[in-house]
Amino acid sequence: MPSGKTIAIFDAHALIHRAYHVLPPLSTATGEPVHAVYGFTSMLIKALGELRPDYIAVAFDRAGPTFRHQEYQDYKAQRAPTPDDLVSQFDLVREVTDALGLTIYDLDGYEADDVLGTLAKQAAKAGLQVIIVTGDSDTLQLVTDNVRVVTPKVGFSETVTYDVAAVKARYGIPPQALADWKAIRGDPSDNIKGVAGIGEKGATKLLSEFGSIDNLLARMADVDPKVAQKLAGQEELLRKNLRLVTIVTDAPVELDLDRCKFDGVPAQQAVQVLNKFEFKSLIPRIQPLIRRPAIASPVGLSSAGQQTSFLPEVPSDGDNLKAGFGPVKIVETPAELEALARRLERAGSFAFDTETTGRDPMQVALVGMSLCYQAGESYYIPLRQPVGRTKLSVSDLRQALGPVFANPTIGKHGHNAKYDVIVLAEAGIPVEGITFDTMIAAALSDNLSHSHGLKDMATNRLGLAMTPIEDLIGKGKNQLMMDQVPVEKVATYAGADAEATFRLVGPLRADLARTGAQMVFEEVEMPLLPVLADMERAGVAVDAAYLKEMSATMSQQINEIERQILDLVGHSFNINSTQQLATVLFGELGLKGGRRTKFGYSTDADTLERLRNEHPAISLILEHRQLGKLKSTYVDALPLMVNPRTNRVHTSYNQIGAATGRLSSVEPNLQNIPIRTELGKQVRKAFIAAGDGNALLSADYSQIELRLLAHMTDDPDLKAAFAANQDIHATTASQVMGVPLDQVTSDMRRSAKAINFGIIYGISDYGLSQAIGITPTEAGLFIKQYFAKYPRVQQYLESIKRRGMEEGFVSTLLDRRRYMPDLISSNRQIRMAAERAAINMPLQGTAADIIKLAMIKLHEKLRGRSDCQMLLQVHDELLFEVKTASLAEISGIVRDTMENVMPLSVPIRVDLSSGPNWCDLA
């Protein structure tokens, strides 16, 4: 049998219980409870996609007592009876498991743990790498060098993987001592009483010294007298407990690898069972797992039952994926570096990763670089290290590899490659030809998962264990810089990063093709990566002196507001303490309508907004908070973020931060500066055009989501209003309220504006009533009148929800998808929230795609010019720093590009303004 193959063994009992207790109730149309079945199936499908095992076994409990019940009558006697609505779902889970073509194992008189423990031992003996998927920590005693345990959250969105080192880190003892540990301290969950007076810490200390109960009992003379007294006469208890808590690994069950071989799920059976239980959102998710027959045009079944062609499989590393990391060659001389450059050129593509002295790519030093152009080997180039060994410098790297990295015909792969691109560019090595980012690819092909870290993917997708960074540099006050770690250790760590990235490209490219995310990946996200890198490198200037004055003024305002609040309350208290504030508002002042949490009354913004008119102090408290947040987040923080070398602030953009495709930014977060309040405008004033003869140019898409609504609904009235360049809100008010356009009042327009934007977010009667100050009944009538005037809008919104439920996802015009299983949730609140998100995704997501495409085009057109630099993107707005003499020309290029980047059936409009800072634009 080929070494390196993997078997995944699922603990059905533990996973079913986890799903049952975490998910809200869910029933079929006939009333049959299925939420545990849904949760288990969702986890199973996600796990199969993440782990990609060669073999699969699923261990179940059987009804009836086990040998443990026979030996110990009180075993688990304290547990409440299994709920009826859970009991009924066990057989349904078996039905799903069988329909997915997976092999089930169970055994009379034994628990599922014993079955999977026995199978794991046999599989490891046969040379397989074993992954046990469970929610039960008892199985950690089975961990060995060849057996790992993965504990997922429901949905498999996050997992924790335990190898020997992880178990030892958590418990302080190796896996083989865990049963002894539990025997000493007892296990309340199974009604097993431990040795009186010895708890977890005591048991850990004993086993750290003696290793096992056998050794402990044999060496009682060496035990601390106080502890020995507690252990006196407990040998029978300890040995009984050990028999009860030890997972059996020699049960009378035999692993049949031929039956367990996993080559995909059978399409027709899988679709039928998912349709039977009304799990339509899971049908698209099983398509990447479908068993494909060896014919030119393989077919499967869609959710509607028709035949549909599956996208072709993209070749990957095959069996090599499970073979472990290859050796790392340390490149030590200029001659070796030149030879490596020639090999990279011949290879045509490679993965790379940088090692640096910190997290900020604009301020770190380059410690070294790792590269991989074929599975099974990698290279590490050390540039800084604690002990002198290599003669290589950044200059050598630039001379030898600079042409390779600058060659756009040689493909480069990275994980979070934007960081490495910036680091290399700052070292004088520009990078062209970034063709694949594994982090972005993983997020696009599966936006339900948050496990997009390289180490998680290497473990889950490739079966490769990687060293945590903490094992290399430590943490806390004793943490080392990377250039303080011996080069051999850094080389091993860095080489694994590069090789894992290289190996992930094939499987992730296949995932992109199967999930329809390939176009967005190749035409939007990858071309955008170097654009964002250039913007981050450029940064934006801030007026530190202005911020200092603003901070002093705000401090005075905050102090004055605090004085007024305390005067109104009648005594001093800490306004920033939520507990003290809750006591004052709901205890002393007796305000009604407070919302209780497990920590007491909530004083969040929504609660205080509802109470604004109940007491004069509330408005002051809200103002106090807003001032304090803006002061700490921006006014005081921005000067500290100025790069001392560039004298500018360099934000960092996250391409996968939002499910809709919108960019987010951090350090500083520029998305959250209020743009309509006077305070927000004052903060924006601090962002300035640096140097004489420069100005800031703002280009803001005008009502882009409403224009997309008109395009997607094909509503003639909406399209006509935009075509005539009318005030869309006044036009809506005129048509919905039945008054001539010239008689629309400001209040009418305000109400129409609220519903226009509210429609995009699936606004409810209550939501609209709160927005414009009318009753929910009046708001409901307003919405009804709106849909009567724009029937195609209502039809479109309903079709989005319907398609989302049937297909499991909603998408943008460029087919960026957002998977939404909550659309079929039985919990009304969860389902309604999902419906609102589903309505918004195609509009906001397409708007995000449009501005990204515009950024790519503008980057191409403006590249190389010294009179213009794209600085920032905030939602629908782009900000440039432009030479005043070129302002008219650049404005024309920007407007033309942004308005024509994606033709729609309505005109796209861009509002341009310029000025000395981000606030004073005209």
Side-chain angles (χ1 to χ4, degrees):
M1 176 172 299
S3 63
K5 286 189 174 289
T6 300
I7 183 171
I9 305 176
F10 291 86
D11 182 353
H13 181 80
L15 297 177
I16 294 168
H17 273 270
R18 173 161 291 194
Y20 175 83
H21 290 292
V22 171
L23 293 178
L26 175 67
S27 301
T28 64
T30 61
E32 184 173 37
V34 289
H35 54 291
V37 187
Y38 176 86
F40 175 87
T41 309
S42 179
M43 279 191 283
L44 187 63
I45 291 171
K46 188 67 189 306
L48 296 181
E50 292 280 349
L51 301 176
R52 301 285 170 148
D54 301 289
Y55 304 90
I56 297 172
V58 185
F60 279 84
D61 278 334
R62 279 191 179 177
T66 67
F67 73 89
R68 293 181 178 86
H69 294 91
Q70 295 170 356
E71 179 169 340
Y72 179 46
Q73 190 174 4
D74 292 332
Y75 182 66
K76 298 186 178 180
Q78 89 290 0
R79 293 192 181 183
T82 305
D84 291 340
D85 66 334
L86 174 56
V87 171
S88 65
Q89 295 186 62
F90 283 111
D91 286 342
L92 305 185
V93 170
R94 284 176 177 262
E95 184 178 348
V96 169
T97 305
D98 187 60
L100 295 181
L102 309 181
T103 303
I104 292 173
Y105 284 90
D106 55 8
L107 193 62
D108 281 334
Y110 292 86
E111 297 180 45
D113 282 358
D114 303 314
V115 174
L116 65 85
T118 301
L119 297 176
K121 183 177 180 180
Q122 293 175 14
K125 187 176 181 181
L128 297 179
Q129 292 293 316
V130 181
I131 302 173
I132 297 172
V133 184
T134 179
D136 186 357
S137 61
D138 288 349
T139 56
L140 296 181
Q141 64 182 271
L142 300 172
V143 169
T144 67
D145 290 339
N146 298 319
V147 179
R148 285 174 288 132
V149 170
V150 172
T151 59
K153 289 187 175 181
V154 170
F156 217 79
S157 59
E158 295 179 30
T159 61
V160 178
T161 300
Y162 289 95
D163 55 13
V164 173
V167 172
K168 201 165 184 179
R170 174 174 172 178
Y171 291 96
I173 53 177
Q176 64 267 25
L178 282 180
D180 301 73
W181 179 76
K182 189 167 285 191
I184 295 172
R185 75 169 184 90
D187 186 355
S189 67
D190 287 342
N191 203 33
I192 297 173
K193 296 177 175 59
V195 176
I198 300 181
E200 293 185 2
K201 290 183 179 179
T204 300
K205 185 176 181 181
L206 285 171
L207 291 171
S208 297
E209 183 175 355
F210 296 99
S212 68
I213 285 176
D214 283 341
N215 287 342
L216 172 64
L217 295 174
R219 295 172 51 195
M220 285 295 290
D222 298 329
V223 177
D224 178 274
K226 291 183 179 179
V227 178
Q229 187 175 0
K230 297 174 184 176
L231 290 169
Q234 300 298 316
E235 179 174 354
E236 183 179 350
L237 173 72
L238 287 171
R239 296 201 181 280
K240 181 197 73 173
N241 284 359
L242 190 57
R243 287 192 299 274
L244 293 173
V245 301
T246 299
I247 294 175
V248 173
T249 57
D250 58 356
V253 61
E254 186 173 347
L255 177 65
D256 185 336
L257 289 177
D258 289 336
R259 288 178 59 215
C260 294
K261 185 173 178 58
F262 181 67
D263 56 0
V265 300
Q268 188 167 358
Q269 289 177 217
V271 171
Q272 284 176 346
V273 78
L274 294 180
N275 274 325
K276 174 182 177 179
F277 295 123
E278 302 170 19
F279 299 160
K280 293 186 177 181
S281 66
L282 298 182
I283 292 175
R285 290 174 53 194
I286 68 165
Q287 293 205 6
L289 304 172
I290 292 294
R291 182 181 301 154
R292 288 166 173 76
I295 57 177
S297 299
V299 296
L301 290 177
S302 71
S303 60
Q306 300 97 357
Q307 287 192 328
T308 176
S309 181
F310 286 102
L311 291 164
E313 186 111 22
V314 179
S316 67
D317 289 333
D319 287 345
N320 234 2
L321 293 177
K322 304 292 193 299
F325 291 113
V328 183
K329 166 68 175 175
I330 300 177
V331 180
E332 301 186 88
T333 67
E336 291 176 347
L337 192 56
E338 288 289 346
L340 175 59
R342 304 292 78 80
R343 285 193 289 270
L344 295 173
E345 288 174 339
R346 290 193 297 271
S349 65
F350 61 89
F352 73 104
D353 186 50
T354 59
E355 301 303 331
T356 64
T357 55
R359 295 176 57 189
D360 183 348
M362 292 296 297
Q363 299 196 59
V364 297
L366 183 58
V367 174
M369 176 189 291
S370 56
L371 305 107
C372 176
Y373 61 84
Q374 63 183 12
E377 65 180 48
S378 59
Y379 296 83
Y380 180 67
I381 306 164
L383 302 171
R384 293 165 61 106
Q385 53 184 306
V387 179
R389 165 175 163 172
T390 178
K391 304 298 183 184
L392 295 179
S393 65
V394 173
S395 178
D396 295 321
L397 187 70
R398 189 183 305 121
Q399 180 176 344
L401 293 188
V404 175
F405 275 99
N407 188 340
T409 67
I410 301 174
K412 288 89 181 175
H413 312 321
H415 184 87
N416 190 22
K418 176 161 62 67
Y419 175 92
D420 305 288
V421 168
I422 295 172
V423 169
L424 290 178
E426 289 297 304
I429 305 173
V431 182
E432 300 285 345
I434 294 287
T435 57
F436 208 95
D437 188 306
T438 51
M439 181 179 74
I440 295 173
L444 280 179
S445 57
D446 181 8
N447 54 29
L448 290 177
S449 171
H450 301 288
S451 299
H452 304 316
L454 181 62
K455 291 172 177 57
D456 285 341
M457 287 198 292
T459 299
N460 297 333
R461 301 298 303 271
L462 307 178
L464 298 172
M466 299 182 70
T467 302
I469 185 67
E470 293 81 8
D471 289 1
L472 198 68
I473 63 174
K475 54 186 178 180
K477 63 180 181 180
N478 297 320
Q479 182 173 310
L480 301 174
M481 301 284 274
M482 191 64 84
D483 58 353
Q484 296 173 306
V485 179
V487 68
E488 290 81 5
K489 289 187 176 181
V490 178
T492 301
Y493 176 87
D497 278 356
E499 186 176 350
T501 300
F502 184 84
R503 289 184 170 203
L504 282 165
V505 170
L508 287 171
R509 186 173 278 133
D511 285 355
L512 289 168
R514 294 185 194 121
T515 57
Q518 193 167 5
M519 182 173 71
V520 171
F521 178 77
E522 293 178 353
E523 297 185 16
V524 181
E525 297 302 347
M526 290 314 299
L528 183 68
L529 190 152
V531 180
L532 296 177
D534 281 357
M535 291 169 63
E536 290 184 23
R537 289 185 66 210
V540 61
V542 296
D543 188 339
Y546 166 79
L547 288 171
K548 185 177 180 180
E549 292 177 8
M550 188 176 177
S551 177
T553 300
M554 292 177 78
S555 292
Q556 294 175 357
Q557 291 174 319
I558 290 170
N559 290 336
E560 174 57 24
I561 292 171
E562 187 168 338
R563 184 192 64 76
Q564 293 178 38
I565 294 170
L566 299 182
D567 285 348
L568 287 168
V569 170
H571 65 83
S572 177
F573 72 99
N574 183 358
I575 297 171
N576 295 315
S577 167
T578 56
Q579 289 184 330
Q580 291 187 35
L581 181 60
T583 299
V584 168
L585 297 181
F586 304 109
E588 297 175 15
L589 300 180
L591 299 184
K592 304 299 181 185
R595 180 174 62 86
R596 279 191 172 275
T597 70
K598 62 181 179 180
F599 302 109
Y601 279 105
S602 171
T603 59
D604 62 10
D606 288 342
T607 300
L608 295 183
E609 281 291 349
R610 289 197 302 270
L611 297 172
R612 185 185 283 272
N613 298 324
E614 301 299 316
H615 193 279
I618 303 297
S619 294
L620 292 170
I621 292 168
L622 286 167
E623 187 179 358
H624 184 274
R625 281 189 180 177
Q626 185 186 32
L627 278 167
K629 183 176 181 179
L630 280 175
K631 183 175 182 294
S632 62
T633 304
Y634 295 106
V635 179
D636 292 341
L638 281 172
L640 302 177
M641 295 181 181
V642 173
N643 184 308
R645 180 172 57 82
T646 65
N647 289 318
R648 296 166 81 93
V649 169
H650 302 266
T651 191
S652 177
Y653 287 103
N654 184 357
Q655 284 179 257
I656 62 173
T660 59
R662 270 192 171 187
L663 293 174
S664 60
S665 70
V666 294
E667 296 177 346
N669 178 358
L670 301 178
Q671 313 285 358
N672 286 345
I673 302 175
I675 60 176
R676 293 181 177 84
T677 66
E678 187 56 39
L679 277 173
K681 292 176 182 177
Q682 289 179 34
V683 172
R684 281 194 165 206
K685 196 168 186 174
F687 293 85
I688 60 173
D692 295 332
N694 287 332
L696 293 185
L697 171 66
S698 169
D700 196 354
Y701 275 116
S702 170
Q703 300 172 339
I704 184 66
E705 292 179 14
L706 289 176
R707 295 175 190 270
L708 285 168
L709 182 68
H711 172 81
M712 292 180 180
T713 61
D714 199 31
D715 187 276
D717 289 332
L718 282 177
K719 290 170 65 175
F722 281 119
N725 201 28
Q726 295 175 350
D727 180 334
I728 189 63
H729 304 311
T731 301
T732 299
S734 171
Q735 295 188 348
V736 172
M737 299 176 187
V739 297
L741 189 60
D742 59 1
Q743 294 181 25
V744 171
T745 66
S746 59
D747 284 343
M748 290 177 181
R749 185 185 183 278
R750 182 174 63 86
S751 297
K753 182 178 181 179
I755 194 170
N756 273 334
F757 285 116
I759 287 295
I760 295 172
Y761 295 95
I763 199 166
S764 64
D765 298 358
Y766 177 78
L768 181 61
S769 72
Q770 293 296 298
I772 60 178
I774 59 178
T775 68
T777 301
E778 291 169 329
L781 179 60
F782 195 2
I783 293 174
K784 187 176 180 180
Q785 290 171 334
Y786 178 93
F787 285 138
K789 185 59 185 174
Y790 300 115
R792 291 195 182 182
V793 173
Q794 185 173 28
Q795 293 165 13
Y796 167 77
L797 300 181
E798 292 303 317
S799 72
I800 288 293
K801 291 186 285 186
R802 184 175 63 254
R803 286 173 52 199
M805 287 187 285
E806 291 173 354
E807 298 177 358
F809 64 88
V810 293
S811 58
T812 69
L813 291 181
L814 291 183
D815 205 24
R816 181 190 297 275
R817 297 180 182 181
R818 181 178 182 180
Y819 289 89
M820 307 196 70
D822 286 343
L823 283 172
I824 61 169
S825 172
S826 62
N827 184 305
R828 184 177 182 275
Q829 189 173 1
I830 293 173
R831 187 176 65 254
M832 295 295 287
E835 288 179 359
R836 290 192 292 273
I839 288 169
N840 177 243
M841 165 61 190
L843 299 165
Q844 189 179 102
T846 301
D849 288 341
I850 286 174
I851 198 167
K852 285 180 175 180
L853 288 174
M855 293 166 70
I856 294 165
K857 291 291 185 184
L858 285 167
H859 188 256
E860 293 172 359
K861 292 182 178 182
L862 301 174
R863 194 170 190 180
R865 296 188 62 146
S866 60
D867 57 353
C868 178
Q869 173 65 52
M870 187 157 41
L871 303 180
L872 301 176
Q873 189 257 51
V874 178
H875 301 318
D876 301 330
E877 179 186 15
L878 294 178
L879 192 69
F880 304 81
E881 191 170 66
V882 184
K883 292 286 185 185
T884 307
S886 304
L887 195 57
E889 179 194 1
I890 298 298
S891 295
I893 294 172
V894 170
R895 183 191 296 278
D896 179 68
T897 303
M898 292 179 69
E899 290 186 346
N900 295 290
V901 72
M902 181 187 286
L904 301 177
S905 59
V906 296
I908 296 177
R909 294 284 182 260
V910 172
D911 295 328
L912 295 176
S913 54
S914 60
N917 58 66
W918 201 6
C919 173
D920 299 328
L921 301 173

